[in-house]
Amino acid sequence: FDSFQPVINLLREAAKDPKVLAIKQTLYRSGPDSEIVQVLAEAARNGKEVTAVIELRARFDEESNITVANILQEAGAVVVSGIVGYKPHAKMILIVRRENNQLLRYVHLGTGNYHAGNARMYTDYGLMTTQPDICEDVHRMFQELTGMGKMAKLKALLHAPFTLHIELLKLIEQEIDCAKAGQSARIIIKVNALTEPQLIAALYRASQAGVQVDLIVRSICCLIPQVKDLSENIHVRSVVGRFLEHTRVYYFEQGGEKRLYCASADWMGRNLFSRVETCFPIVDSRLKKRIIKDGLLNYLQDNQNAWELQSDGQWFKVNGVENEAVHSAQRYLIEQKASTV
């Protein structure tokens, strides 16, 4: 609900800045006419070290991505397709700049594609940061993707196909432990799809332990909620509004610690085992509160565009009960944004 333009501006300024030495970016669905592609080509022509990791086989975009690769290579950029056998689906930008005789890193991580057109129709989150551990992790992931290193050992990020799945299972088990210890325990997951069997089984165990589980799943959900002695504490909803819900957000109460992650990965086998994905923590307290309030709780309160999955597999349209205030999650965010402009 904020403009995607700052991401483009970041790259545009970096392309012209004489102090910027290198720009590295993953491109999944950008298109040859994309301003981002043109800016990266300009940066390469300006003498920057430009590296683009492109998924050439992105479904329905194969021809477009090959054209993008040719444009960048002709401008002098290095184009690679990532780790053999794994689609690069992570959304990352790394900018290296010389400041006061030191090299500083600037990073952008996102939940959606670097496609300005999609950004006007999809809802996604992006994090801009100079946090050292995150920047170092992104640097190592680009080394991994360009074949210059082995599996990256990361400090702050989780990444598929190596650590993300097992760490998600651990986070769910920790939530179960909190519930058994009488501590506050809640899981809220917002993804496009939920199909991975081990994660579904872990969420069932969490429900049985008394963890409150709220799932906001836009499309396919293979978990069955509200089944006695199995998933009584799990609610599943999908919000269908003006914009396509595309954010991936993982929230774990952790006895009040409130751990929050954004990611490029859905909870599907292909994302967790067959693609290179990033999952990044939101540690800034202001940003964390904003995402929990606007990106999660806001959608759980929607009684205009939400559908809830029943135990028989049917979706039921949510309607506000008598005297309940009308609430549309997307309209709330539109009006909130308008009031700050």
Side-chain angles (χ1 to χ4, degrees):
F1 295 88
D2 294 305
S3 173
F4 185 69
Q5 194 61 39
V7 178
I8 298 174
N9 292 346
L10 174 70
L11 288 168
R12 183 187 293 118
E13 292 180 18
K16 297 178 180 179
D17 187 343
K19 294 184 179 180
V20 168
L21 305 180
I23 303 173
K24 299 182 180 182
Q25 181 170 0
T26 57
L27 294 172
Y28 187 68
R29 300 183 189 275
S30 293
D33 297 327
S34 164
E35 188 174 358
I36 285 180
V37 173
Q38 301 305 319
V39 168
L40 289 176
E42 178 189 353
R45 289 192 291 267
N46 288 341
K48 316 296 184 188
E49 178 190 327
V50 175
T51 302
V53 181
I54 301 179
E55 171 44 52
L56 297 177
R57 298 171 299 162
R59 189 171 52 175
F60 308 126
D61 282 319
E62 295 90 344
E63 183 179 357
S64 173
N65 286 343
I66 291 172
T67 302
V68 169
N70 290 336
I71 291 172
L72 293 175
Q73 286 178 325
E74 289 173 3
V78 175
V79 177
V80 297
S81 57
I83 302 171
V84 175
Y86 298 96
K87 286 188 176 183
H89 195 248
K91 317 306 194 273
M92 304 184 295
I93 297 173
L94 173 65
I95 296 171
V96 181
R97 188 173 190 266
R98 187 183 300 279
E99 298 179 24
N100 298 322
N101 295 321
Q102 294 182 338
L103 297 181
L104 295 184
R105 294 168 178 155
Y106 297 81
V107 158
H108 178 271
L109 294 164
T111 67
N113 305 318
Y114 289 116
H115 191 297
N118 287 353
R120 290 192 290 269
M121 298 178 287
Y122 292 15
T123 70
D124 278 297
Y125 283 131
L127 174 69
M128 292 185 183
T129 183
T130 58
Q131 204 279 330
D133 284 348
I134 291 179
C135 291
E136 175 63 21
D137 282 356
V138 171
H139 166 70
R140 292 182 180 184
M141 284 197 66
F142 272 112
Q143 285 186 319
E144 177 185 276
L145 286 166
T146 54
M148 297 174 63
K150 299 179 181 179
M151 184 191 84
K153 294 183 178 180
L154 309 181
K155 296 180 180 180
L157 302 185
L158 307 177
H159 77 313
F162 305 110
T163 63
L164 180 55
H165 182 255
I166 191 170
E167 291 300 325
L168 288 174
L169 290 173
K170 288 180 181 178
L171 286 164
I172 295 172
E173 291 300 327
Q174 289 169 7
E175 214 63 36
I176 292 172
D177 292 340
C178 287
K180 291 179 177 179
Q183 300 174 349
S184 56
R186 187 179 188 185
I187 296 172
I188 308 176
I189 304 299
K190 188 172 187 287
V191 288
N192 296 318
L194 171 58
T195 64
E196 204 287 307
Q198 293 184 62
L199 291 173
I200 290 174
L203 291 173
Y204 284 149
R205 292 195 300 274
S207 173
Q208 293 163 12
V211 179
Q212 179 184 348
V213 180
D214 289 292
L215 306 175
I216 307 167
V217 185
R218 176 172 60 86
S219 58
I220 301 171
C221 180
C222 293
L223 179 148
I224 304 173
Q226 298 294 288
V227 176
K228 184 176 175 57
D229 298 326
L230 177 69
S231 56
E232 291 173 285
N233 292 312
I234 302 178
H235 291 84
V236 179
R237 61 167 40 203
S238 176
V239 176
V240 183
R242 174 179 172 182
F243 301 105
L244 185 145
E245 290 299 325
H246 198 254
T247 49
R248 289 96 165 191
V249 185
Y250 317 151
Y251 170 80
F252 301 90
E253 182 75 19
Q254 296 281 289
E257 183 180 341
K258 298 184 178 180
R259 299 181 68 176
L260 183 71
Y261 299 86
C262 292
S264 61
D266 290 311
W267 283 22
M268 305 176 71
R270 70 182 188 186
N271 295 92
L272 298 165
F273 305 119
S274 301
R275 293 180 174 183
V276 177
E277 306 272 13
T278 51
C279 174
F280 48 98
I282 305 298
V283 295
D284 180 275
S285 59
R286 180 178 57 86
L287 295 180
K288 183 184 292 188
K289 288 179 181 178
R290 180 183 176 188
I291 292 174
I292 293 172
K293 176 178 177 288
D294 292 347
L296 297 178
L297 300 180
N298 175 40
Y299 284 85
L300 295 177
Q301 296 164 1
D302 193 305
N303 56 20
Q304 296 298 299
N305 301 302
W307 296 73
E308 288 196 352
L309 183 60
Q310 309 299 300
S311 60
D312 61 0
Q314 298 296 311
W315 289 91
F316 177 77
K317 183 72 164 63
V318 175
N319 294 307
V321 299
E322 187 176 357
N323 298 325
E324 182 182 25
V326 171
H327 185 81
S328 166
Q330 291 192 354
R331 180 171 294 278
Y332 165 79
L333 293 172
I334 292 171
E335 293 175 348
Q336 184 185 61
K337 178 61 181 175
S339 67
T340 61
V341 174

